[in-house]
Amino acid sequence: MSEETTTGNNNRTLLIVLIAVVVLLLAAVAFFLLRGDGVLGGVLGGNDVSQPHFITQMNNMVLRPQDFSNNYQIAAAGDSRFDNDEASGALGAEKGRAYIMATGRVDGWDLYMERSDPQAVGPESIRSRVEIYETSDGASAALSDEYFWAYNDESKAPDEFLDKNCNVGNECISFKYIEAKPGSGSVVERYDVAFRYRNTLGWVFIKGLEGEVSEQMALDYAQMVLARIEAIQ
């Protein structure tokens, strides 16, 4: 084999290796970008939701009466900032402070609505909340069994956990409460969805007579909240 032929073969081999390396690098970049909370996502600034943007717009990220065809009204004092004092208050001074320090919670907003017409079809009440944390890890910790109230507050323990890996955001849980409606014998159901998207948490619950509400309905409403958080990126 001539020296020219050998050189040509070596060049082709080198070119193939270089192409393979480039393809692998592009695939790795695509993976981390699509993953959203990966290493490259953080380097490119896509890891966290902007705290200033979130705080100035968080009252518009929750569900509001105009989002629904049925008539809803905001309950008395049902549209308000949910700050760190309120978030930690129910835990007591010591536990509340430990929670804020461990999770890096920054701020939040909460809105509670009731159906205007008792005879209309649909949830009797809808509640949604958005919260922001300093980091994605902190938001994840806030949704963990160590800190999230549905896991560690016996008075608020759900009757059933439905899905601890639902399809809203980066992490998601859904759960259910059941109670008898006083004086009627009817069953009232409540479906909750809590999710993490990057360094934020969203929570939605709907409550109504059996058959009027469902887990899927709560998941759909949670997706609406998620879309509003994503829109400020």
Side-chain angles (χ1 to χ4, degrees), residues 79-159:
D79 186 11
S80 64
R81 183 182 175 196
F82 187 66
D83 63 17
N84 282 350
D85 288 341
E86 290 184 86
S88 62
L91 301 174
E94 185 176 347
K95 288 186 178 179
R97 177 177 172 80
Y99 160 73
I100 298 299
M101 296 296 292
T103 62
R105 188 186 187 277
V106 178
D107 213 336
W109 199 273
D110 187 275
L111 192 146
Y112 184 81
M113 295 182 291
E114 298 172 335
R115 196 170 61 198
S116 302
D117 181 0
Q119 304 305 316
V121 177
E124 294 178 0
S125 56
I126 301 172
R127 187 173 185 176
S128 56
R129 179 184 297 164
V130 293
E131 302 174 78
I132 191 164
Y133 295 76
E134 292 177 359
T135 66
S136 295
D137 287 343
S140 186
L143 193 57
S144 71
D145 54 9
E146 183 175 4
Y147 291 110
F148 192 65
W149 49 265
Y151 293 117
N152 56 37
D153 186 338
E154 291 185 3
S155 67
K156 298 178 181 178
D159 291 293

Side-chain angles (χ1 to χ4, degrees), residues 35-97:
R35 187 167 179 260
D37 58 346
V39 175
L40 289 182
V43 172
L44 297 176
N47 190 43
D48 288 338
V49 173
S50 164
Q51 292 181 38
H53 288 171
F54 184 96
I55 291 169
T56 57
Q57 300 181 49
M58 59 188 180
N59 61 316
N60 293 318
M61 297 178 198
V62 290
L63 301 175
R64 292 192 167 275
Q66 57 266 33
D67 294 321
F68 303 95
S69 55
N70 291 330
N71 291 327
Y72 285 89
Q73 59 188 11
I74 298 173
D79 186 11
S80 64
R81 183 182 175 196
F82 187 66
D83 63 17
N84 282 350
D85 288 341
E86 290 184 86
S88 62
L91 301 174
E94 185 176 347
K95 288 186 178 179
R97 177 177 172 80

Side-chain angles (χ1 to χ4, degrees), residues 12-28:
R12 282 193 294 273
T13 301
L14 179 60
L15 180 60
I16 291 171
V17 170
L18 288 173
I19 291 173
V21 170
V22 170
V23 170
L24 289 173
L25 287 173
L26 289 174

